[in-house]
Amino acid sequence: MVLSNAYAQGFLSGTLYQGYLKNGCTPLLNCYACPAAVLSCPIGTIQHFMVIRSVPFYTFGILSAVGALVGRMTCGTLCPFGALQDLLYKFRSWKISIPHGVRFLRYAVLVVLVFAIPFFTGEHWFSKLCPAGTLEAGLPWVAMDAGVRALVGSMFWVKVALLLLFISLSTMAKRPFCRAACPLGAILSLFNRASFLQLAWNPDTCTRCGKCRRICPVDIRPDRKQADPECLRCFDCAMCPSLKAVTVFHERPFAPAGVAETATVLGESK
Amino acid sequence: MDNARNEPMARRRFAFFMAAILAAGLLGVGIFRKEFMETLQNAVLICLSCIGIG
């Protein structure tokens, strides 16, 4: 999080980092218009390629590489907007649960706002609405630069309203933006089943107490589906001895010490 | 007891290798097409849409 926003002098000088690091995309929803950003936003880059009617192979390659290695782990551990939502949920307030089906909205956001509308209209419509952009770029630039302040119109206030909506929702529900609207999460979630890093579950010791769901930042049951596309791979649930972070090369993650690993599949070995 | 079971790791390992090959292929094509230059040119300009004035 700090590494992708390491250009702190951007806030002091009112300039944007323009070095070669911006050749690369960060696997986080981290706005490249943020004065401190040193890497590019993958969603902004994809929209740009849609606008110029080209395929962003390079950006897809970076996201596929990260997804293939760690799945959605960057969402769970490095994303600044995700961390903010986690923090806001800790506030004492009325708590609600987000319906499971809401997850499909983020795929709609990806297809409609990131691919289709920019392709047909030539406008970056996800960026126009992105609450992370408002927080990391919109508010700092409006505060710092009188020229930008003079250009503020109704669209800016729509963005601020969306940011406030997600901020207030975050105090009540776990990670509402990540679960309902994040297009980057939608892309990375496609790799959860195929990632090098996996979650393993031990059916022999699990008591189905449901504590893993209460710990989980996105309210899933890791004991029911270990490669759930919702899973952020934060491994908070691995505090439970029945759940464990493993790699795809672990055949029997819960085998007692001294037992040789075989091709026997966990759970089917009995 | 529910019917949840761990999926065989061999299947996930195969999926991982396919994803890794896909990633390498996409990155290779992207680098060959010098898309990182286009990414840089886009990212060094202030994104007015991100700020909310574009």
Side-chain angles (χ1 to χ4, degrees):
Chain A
M1 192 189 329
V2 175
L3 283 177
S4 57
N5 292 293
Y7 189 69
Q9 63 262 45
F11 283 109
L12 303 172
S13 59
T15 56
L16 208 60
Y17 172 75
Q18 299 187 318
Y20 66 93
L21 284 176
K22 274 202 170 164
N23 277 319
C25 292
T26 168
L28 317 166
L29 199 68
N30 195 56
C31 189
Y32 52 9
C34 171
V38 292
L39 293 163
S40 293
C41 166
I43 297 301
T45 306
I46 292 171
Q47 287 177 97
H48 173 70
F49 275 85
M50 291 295 112
V51 168
I52 62 169
R53 309 253 168 137
S54 184
V55 181
F57 290 104
Y58 177 67
T59 309
F60 285 147
I62 290 174
L63 296 180
S64 307
V66 172
L69 279 175
V70 294
R72 283 188 76 182
M73 193 183 208
T74 53
C75 301
T77 55
L78 299 173
C79 180
F81 202 62
L84 174 72
Q85 290 171 83
D86 282 344
L87 194 69
L88 289 168
Y89 188 73
K90 290 186 197 303
F91 287 142
R92 214 179 260 182
S93 77
W94 183 46
K95 302 294 179 195
I96 54 170
S97 168
I98 296 178
H100 198 59
V102 165
R103 67 160 74 177
F104 297 109
L105 264 177
R106 64 171 187 251
Y107 297 104
V109 169
L110 174 68
V111 173
V112 176
L113 291 179
V114 178
F115 292 128
I117 294 183
F119 185 83
F120 291 114
T121 66
E123 300 266 356
H124 295 201
W125 265 95
F126 179 77
S127 298
K128 281 177 186 284
L129 302 171
C130 177
T134 315
L135 186 67
E136 295 170 22
L139 295 176
W141 278 110
V142 167
M144 284 187 315
D145 194 306
V148 172
R149 216 161 29 244
L151 294 170
V152 165
S154 56
M155 206 60 221
F156 176 77
W157 296 112
V158 170
K159 270 181 80 100
V160 171
L162 275 172
L163 174 65
L164 291 175
L165 172 74
F166 279 109
I167 282 179
S168 39
L169 277 176
S170 301
T171 61
M172 295 184 273
K174 291 177 177 177
R175 289 206 181 214
F177 180 78
C178 306
R179 294 162 74 189
C182 184
L184 182 62
I187 296 173
L188 291 174
S189 67
L190 301 174
F191 292 91
N192 261 6
R193 276 176 77 104
S195 65
F196 178 73
L197 209 58
Q198 292 285 340
L199 182 70
W201 167 67
N202 190 351
D204 300 328
T205 56
C206 181
T207 59
R208 278 93 178 160
C209 63
K211 274 184 191 163
C212 50
R213 184 183 178 171
R214 287 199 289 278
I215 295 169
C216 179
V218 284
D219 239 359
I220 56 170
R221 286 288 300 259
D223 56 338
R224 295 212 175 129
K225 199 174 180 186
Q226 295 79 52
D228 196 309
E230 288 272 289
C231 177
L232 300 179
R233 295 281 189 260
C234 63
F235 298 113
D236 285 354
C237 57
M239 283 193 289
C240 170
S242 299
L243 290 155
K244 197 177 192 180
V246 294
T247 71
V248 285
F249 293 104
H250 279 84
E251 290 292 352
R252 298 186 64 197
F254 295 99
V259 175
E261 285 204 348
T262 66
T264 313
V265 175
L266 182 87
E268 291 175 0
S269 57
K270 288 191 168 180
Chain B
M1 179 173 164
D2 54 49
N3 294 321
R5 283 279 178 226
N6 285 291
E7 196 180 327
M9 276 298 181
R11 202 180 294 168
R12 291 200 190 170
R13 198 157 47 231
F14 176 74
F16 160 67
F17 283 124
M18 289 294 106
I21 291 166
L22 173 78
L26 288 169
L27 263 176
V29 173
I31 290 167
F32 179 74
R33 285 170 29 123
K34 293 196 166 76
E35 283 180 10
F36 49 86
M37 293 306 294
E38 186 67 39
T39 304
L40 177 70
Q41 281 170 17
N42 176 48
V44 295
L45 302 171
I46 295 178
C47 169
L48 299 181
S49 306
C50 305
I51 296 173
I53 56 173

